[in-house]
Amino acid sequence: MVKSRKPPSGRTNLASCIVATIFLIFIFIIIFILYFTLFKPKSPIITVNSIQLPSFSTSNGTVNFTFSQYVSIENPNHDEFAHYDSSLQLLYSGNRIGFMFVPAGKINSGRTQYMAATFSVKAFPLTVNGQPESVGGPTVTDGLSGFRVGSSMEVESRLEMAGRVRVLHFFTHHVESKAECRIGISVSDGSVTAFHC
């Protein structure tokens, strides 16, 4: 005589559900740990390597020059960084004196890409508190922004890079990074005396 098996009790079903739930929670915890330690999207790291003024001239209290900035951009992510809508602008005494778009591109995972940006800056007057200043005058600092004119002047460059990074080839995240530099320029010969980023 064959004995029939008893259907599983409600306690057995409940225990199975609890074990399955604990297992799924454990898997989700592992996925979150991996995401936040290995695959979390990071902003690119911008390093300004060099700033030069290949041409520089002054005339009647105005100055114009060609501006060149050399940077390295490191992608610390586990997938490529596709950048777009990026720009470099140059400011003097709070006013924009130069601008250029950075062409779109891609930087592979863990790689560093070197970029050079060069553009001409149209003639603009050297000023202190909104008033023109003679190029040969003494060094003066305005009390608000710290820009100096006379024997030297200061400009500011702002490089902004925006783009996206894919995580595990499925999820897309927007990332952006900025590099701002204050640049000291000798008005007598156009040499870059110092820059701080």
Side-chain angles (χ1 to χ4, degrees):
M1 179 176 232
V2 179
K3 293 183 179 179
S4 61
R5 291 186 177 181
K6 291 182 180 179
S9 67
R11 288 184 180 177
T12 307
N13 285 339
L14 180 61
S16 297
C17 287
I18 291 173
V19 169
T21 304
I22 291 172
F23 179 74
L24 288 175
I25 291 172
F26 179 73
I27 293 295
F28 280 120
I29 289 173
I30 298 267
I31 289 171
F32 278 115
I33 290 172
L34 287 174
Y35 175 78
F36 283 108
T37 57
L38 297 178
F39 299 107
K40 183 180 180 183
K42 302 175 185 75
S43 296
I45 301 165
I46 301 174
T47 304
V48 178
N49 301 317
S50 173
I51 294 173
Q52 298 176 354
L53 276 61
S55 66
F56 184 89
S57 64
T58 59
S59 175
N60 297 327
T62 64
V63 62
N64 68 325
F65 53 86
T66 302
F67 180 80
S68 294
Q69 182 167 298
Y70 303 90
V71 299
S72 57
I73 301 154
E74 179 187 350
N75 177 14
N77 296 289
H78 288 271
D79 208 333
E80 71 179 12
F81 166 60
H83 59 87
Y84 53 86
D85 196 24
S86 303
S87 63
L88 172 64
Q89 58 180 326
L90 197 64
L91 302 145
Y92 172 69
S93 193
N95 299 316
R96 189 167 79 179
I97 57 173
F99 179 85
M100 77 172 291
F101 284 108
V102 176
K106 295 179 180 179
I107 303 173
N108 291 330
S109 167
R111 301 297 299 267
T112 299
Q113 184 171 334
Y114 297 92
M115 294 185 178
T118 301
F119 57 88
S120 296
V121 176
K122 294 181 181 178
F124 63 93
L126 295 173
T127 60
V128 174
N129 295 329
Q131 300 298 320
E133 175 70 20
S134 64
V135 174
T139 299
V140 178
T141 303
D142 75 12
L144 299 175
S145 61
F147 290 101
R148 293 173 294 167
V149 298
S151 61
S152 66
M153 62 183 237
E154 289 185 9
V155 296
E156 183 180 353
S157 72
R158 292 181 185 167
L159 174 61
E160 299 179 0
M161 298 202 72
R164 66 178 180 271
V165 174
R166 289 190 185 276
V167 177
L168 301 174
H169 299 287
F170 295 107
F171 308 105
T172 301
H173 288 273
H174 178 80
V175 293
E176 58 184 44
S177 189
K178 297 179 181 179
E180 297 183 356
C181 299
R182 295 180 71 84
I183 306 148
I185 301 169
S186 170
V187 175
S188 60
D189 60 1
S191 60
V192 175
T193 57
F195 67 91
H196 177 71
C197 301

